[in-house]
Amino acid sequence: MKKIIILGGGIGGVVSANLLRKKLPIEYRIILIEKNPVHYFAPSFMWLMTGDRKSSNISTKLERLLNPGIEIIIAEANNIDITNKNVHTSNGNYDYDFLIIALGADLAPELINGYNQDLHTFYSFEGSIKLYERLRKFKSGTIAVVVCSLPYKCPGAPIEGTLLIADYLRKNGLSDKIKINYFTPEPQPMPVAGPELGSSVIKLLESNNVAFHPLYTLERFDTVNREIFFDNKNPEKYDLLVVIPPHRSPQVVRDSGLTNESGWLPVNPQTLETKYENVFAIGDITSVPIPGRWKPDVRMMLPKAGVFAHNQAEIVAERIIDKINQIGSKHFFKGGGYCVIEAGNKKAAFAYGNFYGEPHPEVIMKSVGKKWHLGKVFFEKWWLSSGIKKSIIEVILKFGIKLFRIPIKI
Ligand SMILES: Cc1cc2nc3c(=O)[nH]c(=O)nc-3n(C[C@H](O)[C@H](O)[C@H](O)COP(=O)(O)OP(=O)(O)OC[C@H]3O[C@@H](n4cnc5c(N)ncnc54)[C@H](O)[C@@H]3O)c2cc1C
């Protein structure tokens, strides 16, 4: 019987493993290899940063998220040997008939010129806890939020985090003692979603007293004098520095020679197949060009986001099942995605659309409201729960999606 190995137990890995286990007879082995026995739900890191969640609210044992019958190997993958269909890990070697690579994107703060412990981030679990402690003591001054480089996970997350920092300080009566600057090398927020959405997001930032600075390409930080140096711009002063660190593909994927010139793993945009037989890749690790350019010489890429990892995982699971059953697959990833942007005050905006749209992605943003925030909270609870509780939350979520005619499915 066939053996399917899934590398990575994050969003894409969990969804694909569960669907394969649900649909394939038990004789087919589903093996998930993940280095971390605890699963952290990244979209909630920002609530950890504002003290709205405790660590235990946004993390769970990985095994609680996985259906019975999935073999879980807690180990670090060190080498992917495509020729011999084998994965070497810190806990033995595993051969496969089908391989799904869902290893995500690593944060690489060490690539920052001028990196030291003075930098804060809400892009990691530990970083969010540390930033909460810092924000509690921060009473006045300038906060700089800096997108260090592209690409980064979830185009909406840096905006969301900044709005939540503004909201936290406002609630503590500090708005007029604090200035927030947002610097990014991009020409607008979320360029992949088009200029109209960019203008709406800039308005949202400005209405929360956040100054948006586009086309600021980071050169280095001087953490002694608290200055940021950008390409062709005057240095900027700060009192508190919050960064979206550089991202790169996990070392095992680079060392195994699977990345292209982008540094990521190229796949067929519709089938998620790599150029190697029966090897698929999904989620943040992939490099997927999409229609449109945001600069004459820069192609747009499918954003790295959990919603895509989730949808792609379902497509790949279905395609593997069709391959096993020797039927032509009708399952294709069509580029649909959405994003909830927390705006503070328990409200959020909602953007959705077709990222494969021609001649450029077609993304629409719905105005800020409580229902989108509630949707995000329910999604968080649904993702992190199991058993009967999960089924109940799923019914509530599906009812809400139908009631508000939201063009998504879970
Ligand atoms: C602050 C923040 C907020 C976000 N908010 C949203 C949001 O609102 N909506 C949204 O759609 N997306 C959001 N995202 C992005 C989302 O979390 C990622 O896009 C998503 O997790 C990608 O899924 P994945 O399966 O590709 O990778 P991941 O979920 O990152 O999983 C990769 C897994 O591989 C494991 N791994 C890596 N290397 C190895 C190795 N060598 N051996 C074994 N295991 C390994 C990792 O431990 C990890 O568990 C957010 C991200 C952040 C940081």
Side-chain angles (χ1 to χ4, degrees):
M1 279 299 174
K2 305 282 184 204
K3 216 191 272 179
I4 301 156
I5 288 196
I6 297 153
L7 287 181
I11 292 190
V14 165
V15 172
S16 55
N18 279 340
L19 190 55
L20 284 163
R21 187 65 294 158
K22 193 171 148 196
K23 293 205 165 179
L24 283 176
I26 199 71
E27 299 78 40
Y28 289 86
R29 290 180 63 191
I30 317 287
I31 302 171
L32 184 138
I33 299 175
E34 163 62 52
K35 63 182 176 185
N36 196 340
V38 180
H39 178 94
Y40 300 103
F41 188 59
S44 302
F45 288 170
M46 285 171 272
W47 288 327
L48 199 57
M49 169 192 77
T50 54
D52 290 306
R53 298 284 186 282
K54 295 195 179 83
S55 311
S56 56
N57 300 143
I58 69 158
S59 54
T60 184
K61 277 187 186 164
L62 174 63
E63 64 187 53
R64 285 192 66 236
L65 299 181
L66 292 167
N67 289 342
I70 295 170
E71 298 169 51
I72 309 168
I73 311 290
I74 299 299
E76 173 133 19
N78 297 321
N79 184 254
I80 303 166
D81 179 353
I82 296 284
T83 316
N84 296 304
K85 295 192 162 194
N86 200 283
V87 178
H88 302 202
T89 81
S90 55
N91 189 11
N93 298 344
Y94 298 86
D95 57 348
Y96 62 81
D97 297 291
F98 292 93
L99 178 66
I100 303 177
I101 304 176
L103 289 167
D106 282 352
L107 302 182
E110 66 281 5
L111 297 180
I112 299 172
N113 192 353
Y115 169 71
N116 85 6
Q117 295 301 322
D118 203 29
L119 310 185
H120 285 83
T121 188
F122 50 79
Y123 254 60
S124 68
F125 180 73
E126 296 79 12
S128 304
I129 295 170
K130 195 175 137 202
L131 182 50
Y132 175 53
E133 290 309 319
R134 184 73 183 90
L135 283 177
R136 268 155 43 106
K137 292 180 195 131
F138 196 75
K139 300 296 175 208
S140 66
T142 301
I143 299 178
V145 180
V146 182
V147 174
C148 293
S149 61
L150 310 177
Y152 55 86
K153 304 183 209 197
C154 190
I159 307 284
E160 219 179 346
T162 308
L163 290 170
L164 290 185
I165 290 175
D167 187 53
Y168 176 84
L169 297 169
R170 186 169 44 235
K171 280 183 191 147
N172 286 290
L174 298 169
S175 289
D176 44 359
K177 296 192 180 109
I178 278 153
K179 191 172 174 213
I180 305 181
N181 287 320
Y182 182 101
F183 301 100
T184 177
E186 298 150 301
Q188 62 157 87
M190 306 163 75
V192 73
E196 222 168 280
L197 188 131
S199 313
S200 310
V201 175
I202 291 174
K203 278 190 203 132
L204 191 57
L205 286 167
E206 286 172 352
S207 64
N208 284 276
N209 289 327
V210 176
F212 180 75
H213 304 277
L215 300 172
Y216 272 66
T217 304
L218 177 68
E219 271 182 2
R220 69 183 169 90
F221 295 121
D222 175 350
T223 48
V224 176
N225 297 306
R226 295 194 172 161
E227 279 189 312
I228 316 169
F229 292 83
F230 295 98
D231 193 19
N232 279 324
K233 309 273 185 204
N234 291 328
E236 295 281 343
K237 288 269 185 199
Y238 68 85
D239 298 295
L240 170 57
L241 183 56
V242 180
V243 299
I244 313 307
H247 288 43
R248 66 174 160 187
S249 51
Q251 191 164 355
V252 55
V253 183
R254 283 179 280 133
D255 288 355
S256 304
L258 303 180
T259 52
N260 67 3
E261 62 290 346
S262 71
W264 304 94
L265 208 166
V267 288
N268 177 313
Q270 274 86 32
T271 65
L272 290 315
E273 281 164 323
T274 67
K275 63 180 178 186
Y276 309 104
E277 204 194 350
N278 294 339
V279 179
F280 297 80
I282 54 176
D284 290 356
I285 185 64
T286 61
S287 145
V288 183
I290 58 174
R293 292 172 186 271
W294 58 270
K295 266 190 198 174
D297 56 336
V298 185
R299 279 199 78 159
M300 294 230 247
M301 305 300 283
L302 187 70
K304 301 193 180 304
V307 63
F308 297 123
H310 191 137
N311 293 347
Q312 292 170 348
E314 292 178 346
I315 299 298
V316 163
E318 296 287 2
R319 292 191 74 85
I320 289 177
I321 294 164
D322 288 342
K323 268 200 163 198
I324 287 172
N325 294 329
Q326 298 182 338
I327 52 173
S329 187
K330 291 194 180 107
H331 296 276
F332 295 96
F333 176 64
K334 295 182 182 143
Y338 61 90
C339 168
V340 178
I341 304 168
E342 282 292 300
N345 213 8
K346 302 215 181 313
K347 290 183 181 171
F350 178 71
Y352 67 95
N354 175 10
F355 288 76
Y356 285 179
E358 297 271 9
H360 48 71
E362 298 139 9
V363 184
I364 295 164
M365 187 157 110
K366 298 276 190 186
S367 52
V368 173
K370 283 215 183 288
K371 64 183 174 199
W372 310 123
H373 165 76
L374 259 181
K376 187 152 185 157
V377 172
F378 271 107
F379 190 87
E380 174 202 43
K381 305 286 175 236
W382 173 76
W383 179 263
L384 287 166
S385 61
S386 53
I388 184 80
K389 194 172 166 197
K390 195 173 189 97
S391 309
I392 293 170
I393 300 173
E394 190 163 319
V395 171
I396 298 171
L397 264 175
K398 284 187 174 160
F399 176 72
I401 288 169
K402 211 168 169 190
L403 182 69
F404 295 115
R405 295 201 187 93
I406 306 169
I408 61 172
K409 73 172 186 70
I410 61 151

